[in-house]
Amino acid sequence: MSEQKAEQVVVEARGLVKYFPVYSKGVVLKKRVGFVHAVDNISFQIRKGETLALVGESGCGKTTTAKVMLDLEHPDAGQALFEGQELFSTLKKGSRAEKMAIRRKMQLVFQNPYGSLDPRMTVYDIISEPFEIHRHIPRSEWKERVYELLRIVGLEEYHAERYPHEFSGGQRQRICIARALAVDPKFIVADEPVSSLDVSIRAQILNLLVDLQKQKDLSYLYISHDLSSVRQISHRVAVMYLGEIVEEAPTDELFRKPVHPYTQALISAVPIPDPATKVQRIILPGEVPSPINPPGGCRFHPRCPYATDICSEKKPEYEKIAEDHYVACHWWKKFY
């Protein structure tokens, strides 16, 4: 990475690891029988004003990665840097003022807008609650600031006095976005923000996120298993499989020339809106292995149509094959 690009890095993960212990079913004497390898030594960077999409099957570790990056789940190993500052040590050992300052810069938009809004609070209370916690603006400005945020996300001032049950799913997600913007963040994790919405509403919410990014120079970690929305919103894509990143590349290059066999299978499953276009679907055999006992070597080898003995014996290196394009596969040269 050039020096200019390095200066633009807002968020960086270095070798993040997060395991969850698994215990036996005993009522009194529970015994630890293993670990779920949710996140296993992953690294990535997100630059200023950039969206990195994290994609993969359900259970591959996408949401856990996001929680670790926000320190909602403390990692077992690795580092996270925010604007060059080590995140976990600051949140653990820093003063309350330091912790609150860094929390304001990092926010989360949840997957389910029906469950992430308190039904007993009005929209005004929901959006102004961060003001009360962080005290970064005077109380006299709260009302106008709430109205401004509602206008930014495409709602009206009178919506401030209503309750969440009075809104559609798309409107609720707009409220969630307004709440995230209340503290003027620089980095937002969007955890499948459109997966529970109607197809007709998804494009509106994605366009809103893109417009906000341009206006405020925001950096996004966008989590999804819907590659159609990923192609619309992201600048780069990182593909996860069983707790590991197997490929990362600029969005256009990844869709044009996917190298890892798992990435090829995911992209082949994207619906094409032209019935005359014939697409060769790649159907992967078998099931995803257990994250408690992941396979040795390449974790994808039990389902890979190109696997050989070396794939089960030796873990592939995560190597750079082009500008901003990385892959972990023994046979990537076959496809590049």
Side-chain angles (χ1 to χ4, degrees):
M1 179 180 294
S2 68
E3 184 177 344
Q4 182 181 4
K5 288 184 177 180
E7 291 175 355
Q8 297 175 345
V9 172
V10 174
V11 178
E12 182 175 0
R14 295 179 179 174
L16 290 182
V17 175
K18 181 62 183 179
Y19 293 170
F20 294 101
V22 178
Y23 296 95
S24 60
K25 295 182 179 180
V27 177
V28 179
L29 298 176
K30 290 187 177 181
K31 182 180 179 182
R32 191 176 66 203
V33 295
F35 291 92
V36 174
H37 296 233
V39 176
D40 210 346
N41 192 29
I42 69 171
S43 303
F44 57 81
Q45 294 180 337
I46 304 176
R47 301 166 191 138
K48 187 176 182 180
E50 181 183 57
T51 299
L52 173 67
L54 201 57
V55 304
E57 294 170 287
S58 296
C60 69
K62 303 186 299 294
T63 297
T64 302
T65 299
K67 289 182 176 180
V68 170
M69 288 301 300
L70 298 175
D71 203 36
L72 300 178
E73 294 282 357
H74 197 71
D76 297 315
Q79 289 182 307
L81 281 73
F82 183 81
E83 296 183 324
Q85 181 181 12
E86 212 291 316
L87 180 63
F88 303 133
S89 61
T90 302
L91 292 175
K92 184 177 181 180
K93 301 177 182 178
S95 65
R96 186 178 186 278
E98 290 175 327
K99 294 177 182 178
M100 296 297 278
I102 202 165
R103 287 291 187 196
R104 280 197 298 274
K105 298 177 182 178
M106 308 173 70
Q107 291 296 304
L108 173 63
V109 176
F110 295 92
Q111 176 178 355
N112 182 9
Y114 295 89
S116 59
L117 298 176
D118 191 329
R120 298 166 297 180
M121 299 173 69
T122 65
V123 170
Y124 179 88
D125 293 333
I126 289 170
I127 298 177
S128 64
E129 186 176 30
F131 305 156
E132 188 168 351
I133 294 171
H134 290 275
R135 301 288 180 177
H136 60 295
I137 60 174
R139 185 177 288 270
S140 61
E141 299 178 12
W142 287 12
K143 188 173 184 178
E144 184 53 43
R145 179 60 175 155
V146 169
Y147 290 164
E148 180 187 1
L149 288 166
L150 287 173
R151 290 192 294 268
I152 287 173
V153 299
L155 298 175
E156 302 294 336
E157 292 183 5
Y158 65 83
H159 288 142
E161 306 307 320
R162 295 186 177 181
Y163 289 86
H165 73 272
E166 300 178 73
F167 295 92
S168 66
Q171 290 174 317
R172 292 186 192 203
Q173 198 61 289
R174 291 176 187 271
I175 296 168
C176 294
I177 294 170
R179 178 177 58 185
L181 294 173
V183 290
D184 293 321
K186 295 184 178 181
F187 171 56
I188 293 180
V189 173
D191 186 2
E192 303 203 41
V194 297
S195 64
S196 61
L197 304 180
D198 293 340
V199 175
S200 60
I201 304 300
R202 293 183 183 184
Q204 297 177 20
I205 298 300
L206 292 176
N207 288 335
L208 172 62
L209 291 172
V210 171
D211 291 342
L212 289 171
Q213 184 175 55
K214 292 177 181 177
Q215 295 169 19
K216 299 178 177 295
D217 219 8
L218 296 169
S219 300
Y220 292 148
L221 177 61
Y222 180 78
I223 296 171
S224 181
H225 58 263
D226 177 11
L227 290 181
S228 299
S229 67
V230 164
R231 193 167 194 175
Q232 177 180 346
I233 194 174
S234 66
H235 299 92
R236 289 185 298 121
V237 181
V239 181
M240 284 193 73
Y241 183 80
L242 212 60
E244 296 181 338
I245 293 178
V246 296
E247 186 169 4
E248 180 185 345
T251 304
D252 290 340
E253 180 171 352
L254 190 86
F255 279 84
R256 178 176 55 85
K257 190 184 292 187
V259 175
H260 197 281
Y262 179 61
T263 309
Q264 295 170 4
L266 288 181
I267 292 177
S268 78
V270 177
I272 303 297
D274 182 2
T277 302
K278 301 299 181 182
V279 178
Q280 183 65 40
R281 305 292 184 194
I282 300 175
I283 308 299
L284 297 176
E287 300 293 333
V288 180
S290 169
I292 300 176
N293 187 26
C298 174
R299 292 188 176 179
F300 185 62
H301 84 263
R303 306 176 70 195
C304 181
Y306 310 104
T308 61
D309 290 342
I310 192 174
C311 299
S312 60
E313 297 169 358
K314 182 180 178 182
K315 188 180 184 68
E317 293 184 9
Y318 190 64
E319 55 186 314
K320 182 176 181 178
I321 62 173
E323 181 66 27
D324 274 352
H325 195 160
Y326 301 83
V327 69
C329 179
H330 290 296
W331 305 112
W332 65 266
K333 291 182 182 179
K334 284 185 177 182
F335 314 110
Y336 193 72

